[in-house]
Amino acid sequence: MASVVQKATRHGMSLHGLGVICGLTAGVWLGAAEAPTKLVNAGLSPFAVSLCMVAGVFTARWTFPTLLKGTSYVFADLMEKKHLIVWALLAGALWAVANTLTVFAIRDVGLAIAFPLWNANSLIGLFWGRVLFKELAGASPANIGKVVLGGVAIVIAAIMLGFSTLHGDTTMAQHAGRGILAAIGASFMWGTMYVPYRKAYISGMNPLSFVTAFTVGELGTVFALTLALDGGLHSPSFNLFHHHGLVFWLFLGGFVWVIGDLFQQFAAKYLGIGRGIPLSNTNQLWGLAWGALVFGELAGADSRHRLLVLGGSVIMILGALAIGTAVASAREHTSQNEAVLRECERYGLDYNRTLASQAGDEFGDRSERRRWWDYAIVSAATGVFLWLGVRAVVPPLNMNLMWIGVLGVLLFVSLVIGGWSLWRRTKFC
């Protein structure tokens, strides 16, 4: 069987290059997904925001895998690796807790401070990747330096960009400690969540299959958190679903987040969590763009804050460039294949088929035929968004509509580039 590197060359695009494209595309979409959570500043409960966003995530997550591969494909993949279903549910639970903590953090210290704090998850993911999956084992000192320093640079840049939006606002000082702890907790939750990601992908599971089980864990956990901590069945969070004009925007945030996360999943598959997650965490740059250009967070900023924006942006770009050029050597690929072999021996998987799946090559006789219920799922999900959309009202926030249009176009362009690259190279495998 040809090696992973040989397969990549044969298809005309390296897996490393594909992973970099996916990671950067994820950053564009994940940065945009946090904008709707600013509705928490309009007086909504953090549990309500989280529950509605996750409901949107749930709806979108079932739509994309069904649309791209069909449920027959997805469930056949899940049944081949039943042990990974538990890991996917665990990852979903970790995500749900982290997402709820981020909403608390945004409420108490604002998006500008909370965002860079929870984006430190990339360093936690880098640690777990090295300890549990031997990522960077066999890498050259130059590549290790690029990945580690690039990841650190992205976190430092995120902090600089976050503080660039602080200029004299002391209204949240009362609960600053609580908000910072919430953001740090989210960072640890998300950093650990990448462990199930990597475990699934070195076992050959398709990201589209993984997220299907993942979403059950996240929706169930958010629902349980709301029942346990926000008033049970009488929680005001459930009343928010009657406010269709606001619910649409939170569902839309979940929809945008799903697209970003799918690209993040593919980046983690083809680059590993040590490289893929820091690249997707360039979302801070795009989050700042939405905050500054759409919501006016830099209005009235002095030269010192503008210098933070410029410096943070440059450092983040350099960090992403360092990681993007850290192409794995043959020795590192050998170490990765040994990690795959350990998983195969532990769970009785076919080693050659698993390696083929890691190269983006489909294997087996898995059908992608669409069934009638596939069309019903897509139609129902589309109907939910349309029903909420026609009842939507403009949120009670000051927004620049021109910049919403510009950033929306950039979202679409990144989706076309990332989606076309994945389809051309792997057919979304």
Side-chain angles (χ1 to χ4, degrees):
M1 174 170 287
S3 69
V4 171
V5 177
Q6 289 171 332
K7 288 177 180 292
T9 304
R10 183 189 308 160
H11 285 274
M13 179 186 293
S14 72
L15 293 179
H16 180 88
L18 178 62
V20 170
I21 291 173
C22 289
L24 295 177
T25 304
V28 178
W29 282 82
L30 292 175
E34 295 298 335
T37 63
K38 288 182 69 69
L39 284 169
V40 74
N41 295 329
L44 300 180
S45 160
F47 287 103
V49 173
S50 185
L51 183 61
C52 285
M53 277 196 70
V54 170
V57 168
F58 182 86
T59 305
R61 278 197 187 280
W62 277 86
T63 305
F64 284 108
T66 302
L67 186 64
L68 295 174
K69 288 293 186 181
T71 53
S72 297
Y73 173 98
V74 168
F75 284 106
D77 194 20
L78 288 171
M79 290 303 101
E80 282 184 4
K81 309 171 187 70
K82 298 183 182 67
H83 65 283
L84 291 173
I85 295 177
V86 175
W87 287 95
L89 294 174
L90 174 61
L94 289 171
W95 184 92
V97 174
N99 188 66
T100 303
L101 287 172
T102 64
V103 182
F104 276 102
I106 291 170
R107 183 192 67 180
D108 292 338
V109 296
L111 187 62
I113 295 178
F115 212 148
L117 286 176
W118 76 59
N119 259 6
N121 59 19
S122 60
L123 299 181
I124 298 169
L126 178 63
F127 170 79
W128 287 125
R130 182 67 183 90
V131 171
L132 298 179
F133 304 108
K134 306 302 181 184
E135 291 189 7
L136 294 179
S140 66
N143 270 356
I144 293 175
K146 286 181 179 180
V147 173
V148 175
L149 294 178
V152 171
I154 288 174
V155 172
I156 292 174
I159 294 173
M160 293 174 65
L161 293 174
F163 280 97
S164 69
T165 59
L166 295 180
H167 36 86
D169 185 1
T170 60
T171 58
M172 294 176 291
Q174 181 180 357
H175 303 298
R178 185 176 66 184
I180 289 172
L181 286 176
I184 292 173
S187 177
F188 277 93
M189 291 291 105
W190 269 330
T192 305
M193 176 190 71
Y194 300 131
V195 173
Y197 279 28
R198 189 58 176 158
K199 188 174 181 66
Y201 301 144
I202 65 174
S203 299
M205 179 171 278
N206 190 307
L208 296 172
S209 307
F210 182 80
V211 300
T212 301
F214 179 105
T215 192
V216 176
E218 64 185 349
L219 182 61
T221 302
V222 169
F223 189 77
L225 288 172
T226 303
L227 291 177
L229 303 175
D230 198 40
L233 292 175
H234 302 290
S235 168
S237 300
F238 298 119
N239 295 329
L240 181 59
F241 284 96
H242 297 295
H243 300 282
H244 303 140
L246 295 181
V247 170
F248 169 76
W249 301 107
L250 295 175
F251 263 61
L252 182 63
F255 176 88
V256 173
W257 189 90
V258 164
I259 296 178
D261 183 61
L262 282 173
F263 281 108
Q264 184 182 59
Q265 301 266 357
F266 280 106
K269 176 177 180 178
Y270 293 123
L271 290 179
I273 55 181
R275 288 177 171 88
I277 302 308
L279 285 177
S280 67
N281 277 358
T282 55
N283 60 356
Q284 173 66 17
L285 193 59
W286 295 99
L288 176 70
W290 282 89
L293 301 175
V294 174
F295 299 107
E297 290 184 354
L298 287 179
D302 57 27
S303 58
R304 182 168 61 90
H305 289 90
R306 294 182 185 277
L307 185 60
L308 283 173
V309 172
L310 179 61
S313 300
V314 171
I315 291 173
M316 183 165 286
I317 292 170
L318 291 176
L321 183 63
I323 295 172
T325 56
V327 181
S329 64
R331 288 182 60 193
E332 194 173 348
H333 279 299
T334 299
S335 176
Q336 293 172 3
N337 291 347
E338 290 173 354
V340 173
L341 180 60
R342 286 194 297 271
E343 290 294 300
C344 291
E345 291 176 343
R346 181 177 294 133
Y347 297 107
L349 304 174
D350 185 279
Y351 176 65
N352 289 327
R353 293 176 65 193
T354 303
L355 276 186
S357 72
Q358 282 209 309
D361 287 344
E362 191 53 86
F363 53 88
D365 189 26
R366 193 174 301 153
S367 172
E368 295 185 28
R369 177 187 174 189
R370 305 303 191 273
R371 311 286 182 173
W372 66 265
W373 55 79
D374 293 328
Y375 298 104
I377 290 172
V378 174
S379 299
T382 304
V384 168
F385 278 97
L386 289 176
W387 182 71
L388 291 173
V390 296
R391 291 166 172 77
V393 296
V394 177
L397 297 170
N398 292 323
M399 296 181 290
N400 187 312
L401 298 182
M402 183 195 74
W403 279 112
I404 290 178
V406 172
L407 293 173
V409 170
L410 291 176
L411 280 173
F412 177 76
V413 171
S414 68
L415 177 63
V416 170
I417 294 174
W420 179 81
S421 298
L422 269 174
W423 173 256
R424 175 172 173 264
R425 173 63 182 82
T426 70
K427 301 296 188 294
F428 297 106
C429 294

